[in-house]
Amino acid sequence: MTKSKIIHAANAPKPVGAYPHARKAGGLLFLSGIGPRNPETNEVPGLQLNNQGLIVHYDFEAQVHAVFQNIKLVLEASGSAWNKLIDITVFLTNMKEDFKTFNRIYTEYFSNHQPCRTTVEVNALPTPIAIELKCIAELS
């Protein structure tokens, strides 16, 4: 039986629960759900909340770019790379409003490399974010 190795990426946003950023198993790297929080400030780019903590406005484009950056940080800390991604599950909280924008930005990042992808809408994510990615990559 192959043992897996837990990865905690020091420069990525801290997980919001008791789980690692990633786990190596065999020749694969499994990333936990990663969102767009800023690793240094823990803030969500472009997010405005009201006094009750409800979302008033969010900048979806800024969140997409931030989540991709956070994925890159975890991949690099784990000994993998962007072009080693083989499967991505995308969680959006507003498919109707954000899917077209996501596809446009996704194409910028994946013009030459195309991992498998599934996109689903969810009612909510653990923090007030509009997007989260769950990824599998090959190890270098």
Side-chain angles (χ1 to χ4, degrees):
M1 183 170 165
T2 305
K3 287 199 165 221
S4 61
K5 180 181 177 189
I6 291 175
I7 305 292
H8 294 283
N11 58 346
K14 290 185 169 94
V16 295
Y19 55 87
H21 285 111
R23 194 168 193 127
K24 292 180 181 183
L28 297 175
L29 179 69
F30 298 85
L31 277 67
S32 296
I34 308 254
R37 289 179 296 113
N38 181 303
E40 295 174 13
T41 65
N42 207 38
E43 293 177 359
V44 178
L47 178 65
Q48 295 175 4
L49 301 175
N50 66 16
N51 292 339
Q52 289 78 39
L54 301 174
I55 298 171
V56 173
H57 172 77
Y58 65 97
D59 182 338
F60 183 71
E61 289 194 31
Q63 288 193 34
V64 174
H65 290 292
V67 77
F68 286 162
Q69 180 58 37
N70 289 340
I71 295 292
K72 285 181 181 182
L73 292 171
V74 173
L75 288 169
E76 290 167 5
S78 303
S80 190
W82 189 255
N83 65 348
K84 299 287 188 178
L85 285 166
I86 58 173
D87 189 61
I88 300 172
T89 303
V90 182
F91 300 94
L92 301 177
T93 59
N94 191 339
M95 186 78 73
K96 184 177 178 181
E97 295 295 321
D98 297 333
F99 184 70
K100 186 176 179 181
T101 301
F102 178 74
N103 267 342
R104 178 177 50 77
I105 297 169
Y106 185 90
T107 301
E108 295 171 18
Y109 284 82
F110 291 99
S111 59
N112 296 321
H113 172 68
Q114 296 185 337
C116 294
R117 186 184 103 188
T118 302
T119 305
V120 296
E121 181 179 54
V122 294
N123 185 38
L125 290 162
T127 61
I129 57 178
I131 184 171
E132 182 172 286
L133 270 59
K134 172 87 175 90
C135 304
I136 301 172
E138 295 175 306
L139 291 165
S140 300

